[in-house]
C-alpha cells in the first residue's frame, strides 16, 4: 500500500493513497477494532454511492457500525447539525472508545473532525475523503470547524485524525466542476513547492481525460504532509498553503458561498498573487505566464463585474490579516513561496484588473 506519513510525534498518522482502497477499509482498520462502536458520518447521496457498501463490508468483518448523515453544503457546518449528530451518537450508545469515519468532502470532514474533537472530550477519527479538494487538502492537517452566523469556520479545533484513506477511484462519480475546483488546490502545491510538478500539471491538463489523478493526489498529499509536519499550528511555513487564498476567500465572501467554488476562487486568487509577485520582481514574466497558463486551463467563472472597491473590505478582514497587517503569500520563483507584509492596497487593486 502506498503510504505517506504526517509526522507529529504522538499525533503522527498515515495517509494511504491507492485506487480501490475503499474496499480494503475493514482490513486497514481491523487492528484498531476492539469491539467498539464505529460511526460513519456522511451525506445520504454518498451513502447510496458507496457508504452503504462500506457499512456492510465493515459489519461483515465484525465491526459494530452505524451511520449518520448530514445535509449537503455549508448548512451541514452548523451548531444545529453539530448538536443533532451528538444526540444521535448518544442514542447509539457511543462512548469514549467510539471511532468516527468521515466519508465525504470537506464539509463532512470538517464537521466530523470537530465532533470527534469534542465528543466525550475527544475520540478517534479517520478521514475517507471523497472530493478531490478533501483528498489533497482538507482531510490532512487536522483543521476542523463549523460556521456561525458571524462567519465561516469561526468555531473549530486542530485535531488530527488517526489516518486518512484516499481511494482516487471515488472521483469517478464527482461532478466535473468539483474536480476542476480541486485541481485549483493541486496547482497551488506545484506553485508553492515544486516547479517540476507545476509543469507536469500544466501538461496533464491539456487532456483532462488522461489526467493521472492518483499520482497528482499522492504528490499533493506529500507536500501538505511535509508542511503540516513542520508546522502544525500555522506559523510562517503553514501559511504558504494560503497562496491564492487571501483574494480567494474575499471572492467567496463577496459573491456569497455557493456562488463560486473554493478551488475556483483560489485559482483566481493565485492569478492575482502571481501578478503581484511579478510586479515585486519576485517572479519573472515567463514564470508568471507559466502559472497563468496553467490556471487558465481550468474552466473558471468570468468575473468582469468584480469591483475592487467592493472586494477590498473582505480582503482586509481575511483572518490572515493580523493586528491590521495583511500577510500575503507570494511566489519567490515558481515552486517557492514566502509570506509578505509589503503588499499595498493599490497593488491588490491592480492585480484584480488582471482577472478581466
Ligand atoms: N479543514 C481544512 O483544512 C479545509 C481546507 C479546505 C476547505 N475546507 C472546507 O471544505 C469545505 C468544502 O469542501 P468540498 O469542496 O469537498 O465540498 P463538499 O464537501 O461540499 O462536496 C461538494 C459536493 O460534492 C458531493 N460529493 C462529494 N464527493 C462526491 C463523490 N465522490 N461523488 C459525487 N458527489 C460527491 C458532496 O455531497 C457535495 O454536494 C468548505 O466548508 C471548506 O471550508 C476545509
Ligand atoms: Zn483552500
Amino acid at each position: 500500500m502506498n503510504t505517506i506519513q504526517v509526522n507529529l510525534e504522538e499525533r503522527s498518522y498515515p495517509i494511504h493513497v491507492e485506487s480501490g482502497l475503499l474496499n480494503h477499509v475493514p482490513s486497514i482498520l481491523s487492528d484498531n477494532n476492539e469491539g467498539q462502536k464505529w460511526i460513519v458520518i456522511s451525506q445520504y447521496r454518498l451513502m447510496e454511492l458507496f457508504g452503504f457498501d462500506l457499512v456492510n463490508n465493515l459489519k461483515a468483518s465484525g465491526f459494530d457500525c452505524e451511520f449518520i448523515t448530514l445535509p449537503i453544503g455549508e448548512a451541514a457546518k452548523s451548531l444545529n447539525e453539530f448538536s443533532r449528530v451528538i444526540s444521535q451518537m448518544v442514542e447509539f450508545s457511543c462512548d469514549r472508545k467510539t471511532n468516527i469515519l468521515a466519508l465525504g468532502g470537506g464539509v463532512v470532514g470538517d464537521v466530523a473532525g470537530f465532533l470527534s474533537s469534542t465528543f466525550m472530550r475527544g475520540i478517534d477519527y479517520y478521514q475517507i475523503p471523497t472530493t478531490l479538494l478533501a483528498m489533497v487538502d482538507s482531510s490532512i492537517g487536522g483543521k476542523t470547524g463549523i460556521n456561525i452566523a458571524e462567519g465561516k469556520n469561526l468555531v473549530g479545533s486542530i485535531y488530527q485524525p488517526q489516518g486518512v484513506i484516499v481511494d482516487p477511484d471515488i472521483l469517478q462519480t464527482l461532478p466535473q466542476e468539483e474536480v476542476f475546483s480541486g485541481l485549483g488546490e493541486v496547482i497551488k502545491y506545484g506553485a508553492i513547492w515544486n516547479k517540476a510538478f507545476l509543469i507536469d500539471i500544466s501538461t496533464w491538463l491539456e487532456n483532462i481525460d488522461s489526467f493521472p489523478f492518483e499520482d497528482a493526489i499522492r504528490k499533493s498529499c506529500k507536500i501538505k504532509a511535509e508542511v503540516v509536519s513542520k508546522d502544525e499550528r500555522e506559523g510562517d511555513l503553514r501559511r504558504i498553503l494560503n497562496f491564492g487564498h487571501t483574494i480567494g476567500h474575499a471572492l467567496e465572501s463577496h459573491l456569497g458561498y455557493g456562488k463560486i467554488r473554493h478551488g475556483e476562487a483560489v485559482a483566481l486568487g493565485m492569478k492575482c498573487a502571481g501578478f503581484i509577485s511579478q510586479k515585486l520582481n519576485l517572479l519573472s514574466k515567463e514564470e508568471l505566464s507559466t502559472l497563468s497558463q496553467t490556471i487558465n486551463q481550468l474552466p473558471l467563472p468570468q468575473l468582469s463585474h468584480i469591483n475592487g472597491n467592493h472586494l477590498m473590505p473582505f480582503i482586509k478582514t481575511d483572518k490572515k490579516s493580523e493586528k491590521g497587517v495583511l500577510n500575503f503569500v507570494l511566489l519567490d520563483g515558481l515552486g517557492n513561496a514566502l509570506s509578505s507584509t509589503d503588499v499595498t492596497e493599490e497593488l491588490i487593486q491592480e492585480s484584480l484588473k488582471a482577472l478581466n
Side-chain angles (χ1 to χ4, degrees):
M1 191 166 27
N2 220 301
T3 300
I4 297 151
Q5 189 74 7
V6 179
N7 291 312
L8 292 167
E9 291 166 8
E10 74 283 1
R11 295 183 312 292
S12 299
Y13 55 95
I15 307 167
H16 307 293
V17 184
E18 206 164 299
S19 287
L21 223 45
L22 196 58
N23 296 323
H24 302 290
V25 171
S27 61
I28 294 170
L29 299 177
S30 61
D31 282 352
N32 304 321
N33 187 24
E34 291 164 349
Q36 75 274 37
K37 185 81 76 185
W38 293 76
I39 305 286
V40 173
I41 296 188
S42 192
Q43 288 162 327
Y44 200 80
R45 178 78 189 118
L46 301 179
M47 289 304 296
E48 288 180 326
L49 286 171
F50 23 69
F52 289 126
D53 284 345
L54 173 65
V55 169
N56 289 338
N57 279 345
L58 284 164
K59 282 184 173 163
S61 304
F63 288 72
D64 178 6
C65 187
E66 308 279 355
F67 71 93
I68 300 175
T69 57
L70 291 167
I72 298 286
E74 289 295 315
K77 290 176 63 170
S78 71
L79 281 166
N80 275 347
E81 286 303 317
F82 172 79
S83 68
R84 187 184 59 84
V85 176
I86 292 279
S87 299
Q88 277 202 32
M89 288 178 63
V90 174
E91 244 173 71
F92 283 141
S93 309
C94 292
D95 59 21
R96 271 185 200 92
K97 300 256 185 232
T98 297
N99 281 207
I100 283 181
L101 302 178
L103 177 72
V107 160
V108 168
D110 278 10
V111 180
F114 185 55
L115 279 158
S116 307
S117 75
T118 49
F119 186 76
M120 304 234 165
R121 301 200 177 86
I123 59 175
D124 287 351
Y125 78 114
Y126 296 80
Q127 292 275 11
I128 309 179
T130 64
T131 62
L132 181 56
L133 178 124
M135 290 179 186
V136 299
D137 190 3
S138 58
S139 67
I140 308 160
K143 278 196 191 172
T144 82
I146 58 174
N147 309 326
I148 55 173
E150 289 76 9
K152 214 170 118 71
N153 297 327
L154 280 188
V155 177
S157 58
I158 294 194
Y159 190 68
Q160 303 295 342
Q162 296 299 306
V164 183
I165 301 170
V166 182
D167 179 353
D169 286 354
I170 291 182
L171 294 178
Q172 280 161 17
T173 56
L174 187 68
Q176 191 146 61
E177 317 83 76
E178 297 291 346
V179 174
F180 280 119
S181 172
L183 284 171
E185 298 281 1
V186 173
I187 291 173
K188 177 190 81 179
Y189 289 116
I192 61 168
W193 203 259
N194 183 338
K195 181 177 174 179
F197 183 35
L198 179 70
I199 309 246
D200 280 346
I201 298 164
S202 195
T203 312
W204 294 336
L205 281 173
E206 285 165 17
N207 184 1
I208 189 72
D209 293 332
S210 59
F211 195 95
F213 281 102
E214 190 166 335
D215 190 12
I217 291 166
R218 215 171 268 145
K219 289 201 168 101
S220 302
C221 289
K222 222 170 160 184
I223 295 171
K224 177 130 190 197
E226 205 172 326
V227 172
V228 170
S229 297
K230 288 185 179 144
D231 179 10
E232 185 180 13
R233 303 193 75 88
E234 197 157 310
D236 283 344
L237 182 62
R238 188 158 178 176
R239 203 174 270 156
I240 68 169
L241 296 174
N242 293 324
F243 178 58
H245 282 62
T246 303
I247 289 178
H249 284 150
L251 285 169
E252 285 182 284
S253 332
H254 176 46
L255 296 171
Y257 291 99
K259 297 283 189 294
I260 185 168
R261 289 182 178 80
H262 177 72
E264 295 171 342
V266 169
L268 295 170
M270 288 193 292
K271 280 175 80 169
C272 297
F275 176 93
I276 295 170
S277 308
Q278 198 276 313
K279 286 285 170 199
L280 295 175
N281 289 323
L282 292 166
L283 210 58
S284 70
K285 288 208 161 122
E286 295 72 39
E287 288 175 313
L288 174 61
S289 152
T290 303
L291 176 70
S292 302
Q293 279 172 18
T294 308
I295 297 170
N296 286 342
Q297 294 190 77
L298 305 178
L300 296 173
Q302 292 298 315
L303 296 181
S304 46
H305 54 291
I306 287 288
N307 178 332
N309 290 329
H310 294 164
L311 201 62
M312 225 40 229
F314 293 102
I315 292 174
K316 287 184 183 157
T317 56
D318 187 78
K319 64 177 186 299
K320 273 85 216 171
S321 154
E322 283 159 23
K323 296 191 189 121
V325 180
L326 187 67
N327 274 300
F328 208 101
V329 181
L330 299 172
L331 294 184
D332 186 7
L334 290 179
N336 195 32
L338 54 77
S339 178
S340 165
T341 51
D342 294 337
V343 178
T344 61
E345 183 170 338
E346 290 71 30
L347 208 44
I348 294 176
Q349 293 263 16
E350 208 188 323
S351 79
L352 293 170
K353 292 191 194 122
L355 291 181
N356 296 326

